[in-house]
Structures are given as structure tokens and as C-alpha cells.
Amino acid sequence: PWDGAYHARRAYYSFINFPSILYFDAYLRFPDGAPVPFPPLYDWGVAAVARLFGDSEAVFTKVAAWVSPILAMLTVLPVYALGRRVRGWQVGLIASALFAVFPASVMNTGIGDLDHHAAVAFLLALLIASSAALLEADVGSHIRRSLLLAMVRAALVLSWTGSLLYVAVGEA
């Protein structure tokens, strides 16, 4: 509830003041405030998606409530693609089914939980699947897949600072 509530605060700020990002928060380090120590992409992305559907508080609340389950549902696709690439469609199906029912997936992606875990899981699965696809790419698609991989890396780092470890391991 704590991280999700803060993500909701930042996303709501961006939603109300779109396209602004809350870089300095008067509520941090009372009474002086402090710079926000978290990257902005996830919260800004939630605000941007909510803005696509409207500009009322009710719209923001509905989008914020459904972001995590939808991202969890989308994560099944790169997990399936990676499993299929490794050993065939059967392994892809088993891998995606296992991902969908593992406690970490279920507990961190509930309706109303606006924490960043579902976004990080989606982007990490996309990073791994994109890296695997790049290994098998021919010259023509190598550039496109490299650009996709670079965008996924940037999205990961701009969504959660801890993902620097994921990107570093992927590079190694």
C-alpha cells in the first residue's frame, strides 16, 4: 500500500498538471521537501494513459486501478514468446501459465495496486525475450530488434532504478 500510494500521488500530479512531472515533493523530508528520488516514466505513463481516456478524477481512478492487472496480463506474451523460442510452443504455454499463477505475479498485480512491480515484470520479460530474439536475428532485422532492445532498456531504467542491475546482467 505504501509504494502504490506514492505512485498514485505522482501519477495523479502528472494527470492534473499534464505533461508535468513531480520532480520536487514538498511532502518528502518534512518540512523542507526534497527531490523525488525515483525515475518518472511509470507514473507519467499512468497519467498519460489516463489522459487518453479523459480528464476526470473518476477516469484516473479507473485507469490507476487497472494498470497492474493489465500489465500482468500483457507480461504473459513475452514470457510465452521466450518459452516458444527456447523449446517450442508447448514450453511457451507452460511458462506463461506458470508466470500467471506464481504468487509473486498474483500478489503484486491486483486491482487497485498501483505499485511498479507489474511494469517492471513486463519490461524485464520484454528485455529477455528481445535479447533472445536478437541472437537469432538476420542482418536486416538486427537493427530493428536492437532499437527495440534499447527502448526497452531505457524504459526499464526510467521506470525503476533497481533495474540497472537487470540491464547490467543483460549486457554481461
Side-chain angles (χ1 to χ4, degrees):
W2 302 281
D3 286 352
Y6 194 68
H7 284 293
R9 171 173 161 62
R10 286 189 73 199
Y12 188 66
Y13 175 89
S14 291
F15 177 76
I16 294 298
N17 302 294
F18 197 80
S20 295
I21 295 170
L22 184 63
Y23 287 113
F24 186 87
D25 193 345
Y27 291 173
L28 294 179
R29 205 176 63 201
F30 181 81
D32 300 323
V36 176
F38 310 110
L41 184 62
Y42 174 66
D43 303 322
W44 187 86
V46 171
V49 169
R51 275 290 177 158
L52 286 174
F53 291 104
D55 61 357
S56 70
E57 190 173 317
V59 168
F60 174 80
T61 303
K62 287 176 186 172
V63 169
W66 284 98
V67 164
S68 287
I70 290 171
L71 284 170
M73 183 179 62
L74 291 173
T75 305
V76 171
L77 299 174
V79 170
Y80 171 80
L82 182 61
R84 188 191 75 222
R85 184 172 304 285
V86 170
R87 287 299 254 200
W89 69 268
Q90 298 92 339
V91 171
L93 194 60
I94 292 169
S96 59
L98 286 174
F99 172 81
V101 298
F102 276 164
S105 299
V106 174
M107 291 172 43
N108 291 319
T109 60
I111 296 172
D113 185 356
L114 194 57
D115 208 346
H116 64 276
H117 298 296
V120 171
F122 173 69
L123 291 169
L124 184 58
L126 199 56
L127 176 76
I128 296 168
S130 300
S131 296
L134 189 61
L135 294 173
E136 298 174 1
D138 59 5
V139 175
S141 63
H142 189 77
I143 293 172
R144 285 189 310 264
R145 291 182 183 184
S146 294
L147 287 173
L148 172 65
L149 191 57
M151 288 189 299
V152 171
R153 285 183 191 129
L156 255 172
V157 171
L158 290 172
S159 296
W160 181 53
T161 50
S163 62
L164 285 168
L165 295 171
Y166 299 147
V167 173
V169 170
E171 287 302 312

